[in-house]
Amino acid sequence: MVTDSNAFDIDTPALLIDLDRVEKNLATMQKKADTTGALLRPHIKAHKIPELARTQIRLGAVGVTASKVAEAEVMADAGIKDIFIANQVVTTTKLKRLAALSKRVKVSVGLDSAAGAKILSDVFSAAGKKIDYVIEIDSGLNRCGVPPGLPAVELFSAIKQLTGLRFKGIFTHAGQVYGKQTLEDVMAVSKLESEIIVETCNCFKDVGVRPEVVSVGSTPTMRVWNGCAGVNEIRPGNYIFLDAIQIALGVANPQECALTVLATVTSRPAHDRAVVDAGSKVFALDKGAHGKEMLKGFGLVLNKNAVLERLSEEHGVMSLDSKEKLEIGETVRIIPNHACPVINLSDKAYGIRRGKVEAELLIAGRGKVQ
Ligand SMILES: Cc1ncc(COP(=O)(O)O)c(C=O)c1O
């Protein structure tokens, strides 16, 4: 059993961030980047907290990754100077905001089609500017991206005359790793992710071009990674907190998980059932990516023989071992299944250290979906 204190003088439900663990998780990944010769560009969708992004930069990150223009705007306001939007941006409204943002900070953006490139270039060339673009490669997630190898070079060649664009490199995210069942499988995806990006990078030799950025990353694939010649940037996000999904994948343990939900027991309708004041509006409904039933319930309840079995919007229903004592008014701490959507649902989190609240952290990027 994990022994984390839950004696905090704060109202519930509340998000607790263990600052010692965050600092350790950040330092560990930064060290991995430093020793493998890669730059770390953490994905801030995992925490959406300006203060934590600044900590990542202070520890050595080259910049941050964001998924939305609005997230990037929040990070620019927080003083982050180098932001990669690892996503396709195609609406004119967003692209105009992106052009405005590019006057304030260094921005780059993902791209995987000639059609998307044209829209992007038109807005930037009309503003008399160029945007750095990074071609997305599909390394098996089957989401966005061009297939590995020559298609990336073909896309580059097809759009190189567009005046609003500047080629920066290639990136991939092997998110299919979240559907894997064993650590061996996770390691195989990690290896594949790097091999695919390096192989694709090598294809650019045919056109005499060297991608400046060769970028990979997810938390599971980076936790088991030991570097790869040719990969020069990594983009994990969730590693800052880790969560029950990372534990289930075998790449983290509960003592490393830095984000917990503090909840109060509000009802004990039966000897084997307790209800807490945090439901799907706090935990989200994640039970592991791609529909895999890797997890027991909606989070890992600390120090109790209890399973968070059902969620309605404001209620979390736990089944209890019949010997478990849990009274109305008592608090419990729960490691969420997936930290990222949990962060997106609350306005603030409490930074805790050794049983005490040290800081209130504003989740300024929450809800920034445009
Ligand atoms: C393009 C991209 N890069 C990096 C990441 C970070 O991965 P993780 O959440 O596993 O840390 C994500 C996560 O969704 C992503 O979509």
PDB file of all heavy atoms in Angstrom, residues 92 95-96 99-100 103 117-131 162-165:
ATOM      1  N   THR A  92      -8.903  29.584 -40.492  1.00  0.00           N
ATOM      2  CA  THR A  92      -8.282  30.891 -40.719  1.00  0.00           C
ATOM      3  C   THR A  92      -8.211  31.696 -39.426  1.00  0.00           C
ATOM      4  O   THR A  92      -7.223  32.386 -39.165  1.00  0.00           O
ATOM      5  CB  THR A  92      -9.089  31.662 -41.794  1.00  0.00           C
ATOM      6  OG1 THR A  92      -9.234  30.781 -42.901  1.00  0.00           O
ATOM      7  CG2 THR A  92      -8.378  32.907 -42.257  1.00  0.00           C
ATOM      8  N   LEU A  95      -5.336  30.517 -37.515  1.00  0.00           N
ATOM      9  CA  LEU A  95      -4.063  30.837 -38.180  1.00  0.00           C
ATOM     10  C   LEU A  95      -3.710  32.309 -38.028  1.00  0.00           C
ATOM     11  O   LEU A  95      -2.536  32.664 -37.889  1.00  0.00           O
ATOM     12  CB  LEU A  95      -4.117  30.427 -39.653  1.00  0.00           C
ATOM     13  CG  LEU A  95      -4.081  28.904 -39.844  1.00  0.00           C
ATOM     14  CD1 LEU A  95      -4.352  28.531 -41.284  1.00  0.00           C
ATOM     15  CD2 LEU A  95      -2.738  28.340 -39.396  1.00  0.00           C
ATOM     16  N   LYS A  96      -4.722  33.166 -37.984  1.00  0.00           N
ATOM     17  CA  LYS A  96      -4.440  34.593 -37.757  1.00  0.00           C
ATOM     18  C   LYS A  96      -3.904  34.784 -36.341  1.00  0.00           C
ATOM     19  O   LYS A  96      -2.994  35.582 -36.121  1.00  0.00           O
ATOM     20  CB  LYS A  96      -5.705  35.417 -37.987  1.00  0.00           C
ATOM     21  CG  LYS A  96      -6.011  35.568 -39.472  1.00  0.00           C
ATOM     22  CD  LYS A  96      -7.172  36.494 -39.713  1.00  0.00           C
ATOM     23  CE  LYS A  96      -7.369  36.683 -41.202  1.00  0.00           C
ATOM     24  NZ  LYS A  96      -8.724  37.106 -41.520  1.00  0.00           N
ATOM     25  N   ALA A  99      -0.381  33.676 -36.388  1.00  0.00           N
ATOM     26  CA  ALA A  99       0.493  34.697 -36.976  1.00  0.00           C
ATOM     27  C   ALA A  99       0.782  35.789 -35.945  1.00  0.00           C
ATOM     28  O   ALA A  99       1.927  36.256 -35.822  1.00  0.00           O
ATOM     29  CB  ALA A  99      -0.148  35.275 -38.229  1.00  0.00           C
ATOM     30  N   ALA A 100      -0.233  36.172 -35.180  1.00  0.00           N
ATOM     31  CA  ALA A 100      -0.025  37.197 -34.144  1.00  0.00           C
ATOM     32  C   ALA A 100       0.927  36.662 -33.074  1.00  0.00           C
ATOM     33  O   ALA A 100       1.830  37.369 -32.619  1.00  0.00           O
ATOM     34  CB  ALA A 100      -1.367  37.592 -33.531  1.00  0.00           C
ATOM     35  N   LYS A 103       4.629  36.786 -33.711  1.00  0.00           N
ATOM     36  CA  LYS A 103       5.333  38.075 -33.554  1.00  0.00           C
ATOM     37  C   LYS A 103       5.908  38.192 -32.142  1.00  0.00           C
ATOM     38  O   LYS A 103       6.792  38.977 -31.883  1.00  0.00           O
ATOM     39  CB  LYS A 103       4.363  39.235 -33.797  1.00  0.00           C
ATOM     40  CG  LYS A 103       3.939  39.343 -35.232  1.00  0.00           C
ATOM     41  CD  LYS A 103       3.140  40.619 -35.476  1.00  0.00           C
ATOM     42  CE  LYS A 103       2.648  40.629 -36.912  1.00  0.00           C
ATOM     43  NZ  LYS A 103       1.298  41.132 -37.052  1.00  0.00           N
ATOM     44  N   ALA A 117      -0.991  22.764 -45.868  1.00  0.00           N
ATOM     45  CA  ALA A 117       0.168  23.635 -46.076  1.00  0.00           C
ATOM     46  C   ALA A 117      -0.238  24.916 -46.804  1.00  0.00           C
ATOM     47  O   ALA A 117       0.218  26.009 -46.477  1.00  0.00           O
ATOM     48  CB  ALA A 117       1.217  22.881 -46.892  1.00  0.00           C
ATOM     49  N   LYS A 118      -1.131  24.764 -47.781  1.00  0.00           N
ATOM     50  CA  LYS A 118      -1.544  25.928 -48.584  1.00  0.00           C
ATOM     51  C   LYS A 118      -2.291  26.933 -47.695  1.00  0.00           C
ATOM     52  O   LYS A 118      -2.029  28.139 -47.734  1.00  0.00           O
ATOM     53  CB  LYS A 118      -2.399  25.428 -49.757  1.00  0.00           C
ATOM     54  CG  LYS A 118      -3.178  26.450 -50.514  1.00  0.00           C
ATOM     55  CD  LYS A 118      -2.602  26.617 -51.928  1.00  0.00           C
ATOM     56  CE  LYS A 118      -3.309  27.667 -52.761  1.00  0.00           C
ATOM     57  NZ  LYS A 118      -3.463  28.963 -52.139  1.00  0.00           N
ATOM     58  N   ILE A 119      -3.205  26.400 -46.863  1.00  0.00           N
ATOM     59  CA  ILE A 119      -3.976  27.299 -45.985  1.00  0.00           C
ATOM     60  C   ILE A 119      -3.017  28.032 -45.036  1.00  0.00           C
ATOM     61  O   ILE A 119      -3.117  29.241 -44.831  1.00  0.00           O
ATOM     62  CB  ILE A 119      -5.019  26.482 -45.167  1.00  0.00           C
ATOM     63  CG1 ILE A 119      -5.991  25.753 -46.105  1.00  0.00           C
ATOM     64  CG2 ILE A 119      -5.796  27.369 -44.206  1.00  0.00           C
ATOM     65  CD1 ILE A 119      -6.882  24.724 -45.417  1.00  0.00           C
ATOM     66  N   LEU A 120      -2.088  27.269 -44.482  1.00  0.00           N
ATOM     67  CA  LEU A 120      -1.118  27.835 -43.544  1.00  0.00           C
ATOM     68  C   LEU A 120      -0.265  28.905 -44.230  1.00  0.00           C
ATOM     69  O   LEU A 120      -0.100  30.031 -43.724  1.00  0.00           O
ATOM     70  CB  LEU A 120      -0.236  26.676 -43.047  1.00  0.00           C
ATOM     71  CG  LEU A 120       0.779  26.891 -41.941  1.00  0.00           C
ATOM     72  CD1 LEU A 120       0.103  27.369 -40.667  1.00  0.00           C
ATOM     73  CD2 LEU A 120       1.524  25.582 -41.649  1.00  0.00           C
ATOM     74  N   SER A 121       0.260  28.562 -45.391  1.00  0.00           N
ATOM     75  CA  SER A 121       1.138  29.475 -46.107  1.00  0.00           C
ATOM     76  C   SER A 121       0.410  30.760 -46.515  1.00  0.00           C
ATOM     77  O   SER A 121       0.955  31.851 -46.396  1.00  0.00           O
ATOM     78  CB  SER A 121       1.702  28.779 -47.349  1.00  0.00           C
ATOM     79  OG  SER A 121       2.473  29.682 -48.091  1.00  0.00           O
ATOM     80  N   ASP A 122      -0.840  30.607 -46.980  1.00  0.00           N
ATOM     81  CA  ASP A 122      -1.587  31.792 -47.431  1.00  0.00           C
ATOM     82  C   ASP A 122      -1.692  32.825 -46.321  1.00  0.00           C
ATOM     83  O   ASP A 122      -1.471  34.013 -46.545  1.00  0.00           O
ATOM     84  CB  ASP A 122      -3.005  31.382 -47.891  1.00  0.00           C
ATOM     85  CG  ASP A 122      -2.974  30.718 -49.267  1.00  0.00           C
ATOM     86  OD1 ASP A 122      -1.890  30.722 -49.902  1.00  0.00           O
ATOM     87  OD2 ASP A 122      -4.014  30.164 -49.681  1.00  0.00           O
ATOM     88  N   VAL A 123      -2.033  32.364 -45.119  1.00  0.00           N
ATOM     89  CA  VAL A 123      -2.219  33.311 -44.012  1.00  0.00           C
ATOM     90  C   VAL A 123      -0.885  33.968 -43.653  1.00  0.00           C
ATOM     91  O   VAL A 123      -0.806  35.186 -43.467  1.00  0.00           O
ATOM     92  CB  VAL A 123      -2.845  32.614 -42.782  1.00  0.00           C
ATOM     93  CG1 VAL A 123      -2.870  33.534 -41.565  1.00  0.00           C
ATOM     94  CG2 VAL A 123      -4.256  32.143 -43.110  1.00  0.00           C
ATOM     95  N   PHE A 124       0.174  33.167 -43.615  1.00  0.00           N
ATOM     96  CA  PHE A 124       1.465  33.734 -43.211  1.00  0.00           C
ATOM     97  C   PHE A 124       2.074  34.614 -44.299  1.00  0.00           C
ATOM     98  O   PHE A 124       2.629  35.671 -44.008  1.00  0.00           O
ATOM     99  CB  PHE A 124       2.425  32.626 -42.741  1.00  0.00           C
ATOM    100  CG  PHE A 124       2.205  32.311 -41.287  1.00  0.00           C
ATOM    101  CD1 PHE A 124       1.180  31.469 -40.904  1.00  0.00           C
ATOM    102  CD2 PHE A 124       2.983  32.912 -40.308  1.00  0.00           C
ATOM    103  CE1 PHE A 124       0.940  31.207 -39.563  1.00  0.00           C
ATOM    104  CE2 PHE A 124       2.756  32.661 -38.966  1.00  0.00           C
ATOM    105  CZ  PHE A 124       1.728  31.803 -38.582  1.00  0.00           C
ATOM    106  N   SER A 125       1.931  34.196 -45.547  1.00  0.00           N
ATOM    107  CA  SER A 125       2.533  35.069 -46.570  1.00  0.00           C
ATOM    108  C   SER A 125       1.742  36.369 -46.687  1.00  0.00           C
ATOM    109  O   SER A 125       2.339  37.427 -46.920  1.00  0.00           O
ATOM    110  CB  SER A 125       2.727  34.358 -47.907  1.00  0.00           C
ATOM    111  OG  SER A 125       1.532  33.877 -48.387  1.00  0.00           O
ATOM    112  N   ALA A 126       0.424  36.319 -46.455  1.00  0.00           N
ATOM    113  CA  ALA A 126      -0.359  37.573 -46.474  1.00  0.00           C
ATOM    114  C   ALA A 126       0.111  38.512 -45.365  1.00  0.00           C
ATOM    115  O   ALA A 126       0.048  39.734 -45.505  1.00  0.00           O
ATOM    116  CB  ALA A 126      -1.850  37.261 -46.307  1.00  0.00           C
ATOM    117  N   ALA A 127       0.598  37.916 -44.271  1.00  0.00           N
ATOM    118  CA  ALA A 127       1.098  38.748 -43.159  1.00  0.00           C
ATOM    119  C   ALA A 127       2.574  39.099 -43.359  1.00  0.00           C
ATOM    120  O   ALA A 127       3.204  39.700 -42.481  1.00  0.00           O
ATOM    121  CB  ALA A 127       0.895  38.000 -41.840  1.00  0.00           C
ATOM    122  N   GLY A 128       3.126  38.702 -44.514  1.00  0.00           N
ATOM    123  CA  GLY A 128       4.539  38.995 -44.802  1.00  0.00           C
ATOM    124  C   GLY A 128       5.489  38.190 -43.928  1.00  0.00           C
ATOM    125  O   GLY A 128       6.600  38.620 -43.635  1.00  0.00           O
ATOM    126  N   LYS A 129       5.030  37.020 -43.513  1.00  0.00           N
ATOM    127  CA  LYS A 129       5.846  36.208 -42.600  1.00  0.00           C
ATOM    128  C   LYS A 129       5.995  34.786 -43.120  1.00  0.00           C
ATOM    129  O   LYS A 129       5.288  34.368 -44.028  1.00  0.00           O
ATOM    130  CB  LYS A 129       5.172  36.161 -41.214  1.00  0.00           C
ATOM    131  CG  LYS A 129       5.241  37.486 -40.478  1.00  0.00           C
ATOM    132  CD  LYS A 129       4.797  37.352 -39.053  1.00  0.00           C
ATOM    133  CE  LYS A 129       5.722  36.526 -38.224  1.00  0.00           C
ATOM    134  NZ  LYS A 129       6.733  37.072 -37.463  1.00  0.00           N
ATOM    135  N   LYS A 130       6.877  34.034 -42.461  1.00  0.00           N
ATOM    136  CA  LYS A 130       7.012  32.597 -42.720  1.00  0.00           C
ATOM    137  C   LYS A 130       6.837  31.885 -41.402  1.00  0.00           C
ATOM    138  O   LYS A 130       7.306  32.381 -40.378  1.00  0.00           O
ATOM    139  CB  LYS A 130       8.411  32.270 -43.239  1.00  0.00           C
ATOM    140  CG  LYS A 130       8.623  32.537 -44.720  1.00  0.00           C
ATOM    141  CD  LYS A 130      10.008  32.037 -45.107  1.00  0.00           C
ATOM    142  CE  LYS A 130      10.437  32.541 -46.477  1.00  0.00           C
ATOM    143  NZ  LYS A 130       9.731  31.928 -47.592  1.00  0.00           N
ATOM    144  N   ILE A 131       6.213  30.697 -41.439  1.00  0.00           N
ATOM    145  CA  ILE A 131       6.101  29.889 -40.218  1.00  0.00           C
ATOM    146  C   ILE A 131       6.939  28.620 -40.390  1.00  0.00           C
ATOM    147  O   ILE A 131       6.937  28.017 -41.466  1.00  0.00           O
ATOM    148  CB  ILE A 131       4.630  29.553 -39.893  1.00  0.00           C
ATOM    149  CG1 ILE A 131       4.516  28.596 -38.688  1.00  0.00           C
ATOM    150  CG2 ILE A 131       3.889  28.888 -41.047  1.00  0.00           C
ATOM    151  CD1 ILE A 131       3.972  29.190 -37.477  1.00  0.00           C
ATOM    152  N   LEU A 162       5.839  27.144 -51.533  1.00  0.00           N
ATOM    153  CA  LEU A 162       4.908  28.016 -50.793  1.00  0.00           C
ATOM    154  C   LEU A 162       5.694  29.044 -49.970  1.00  0.00           C
ATOM    155  O   LEU A 162       6.576  28.683 -49.188  1.00  0.00           O
ATOM    156  CB  LEU A 162       3.990  27.183 -49.883  1.00  0.00           C
ATOM    157  CG  LEU A 162       3.008  26.250 -50.623  1.00  0.00           C
ATOM    158  CD1 LEU A 162       2.245  25.372 -49.641  1.00  0.00           C
ATOM    159  CD2 LEU A 162       2.037  27.055 -51.488  1.00  0.00           C
ATOM    160  N   THR A 163       5.341  30.306 -50.148  1.00  0.00           N
ATOM    161  CA  THR A 163       6.202  31.370 -49.617  1.00  0.00           C
ATOM    162  C   THR A 163       6.011  31.648 -48.119  1.00  0.00           C
ATOM    163  O   THR A 163       6.836  32.325 -47.515  1.00  0.00           O
ATOM    164  CB  THR A 163       5.960  32.676 -50.391  1.00  0.00           C
ATOM    165  OG1 THR A 163       4.545  32.925 -50.384  1.00  0.00           O
ATOM    166  CG2 THR A 163       6.452  32.570 -51.826  1.00  0.00           C
ATOM    167  N   GLY A 164       4.934  31.129 -47.554  1.00  0.00           N
ATOM    168  CA  GLY A 164       4.702  31.423 -46.123  1.00  0.00           C
ATOM    169  C   GLY A 164       5.276  30.367 -45.194  1.00  0.00           C
ATOM    170  O   GLY A 164       5.033  30.419 -43.984  1.00  0.00           O
ATOM    171  N   LEU A 165       5.991  29.386 -45.763  1.00  0.00           N
ATOM    172  CA  LEU A 165       6.457  28.258 -44.939  1.00  0.00           C
ATOM    173  C   LEU A 165       7.969  28.115 -44.931  1.00  0.00           C
ATOM    174  O   LEU A 165       8.637  28.423 -45.910  1.00  0.00           O
ATOM    175  CB  LEU A 165       5.870  26.942 -45.478  1.00  0.00           C
ATOM    176  CG  LEU A 165       4.356  26.821 -45.620  1.00  0.00           C
ATOM    177  CD1 LEU A 165       4.003  25.415 -46.104  1.00  0.00           C
ATOM    178  CD2 LEU A 165       3.648  27.094 -44.306  1.00  0.00           C
TER     179      LEU A 165
END
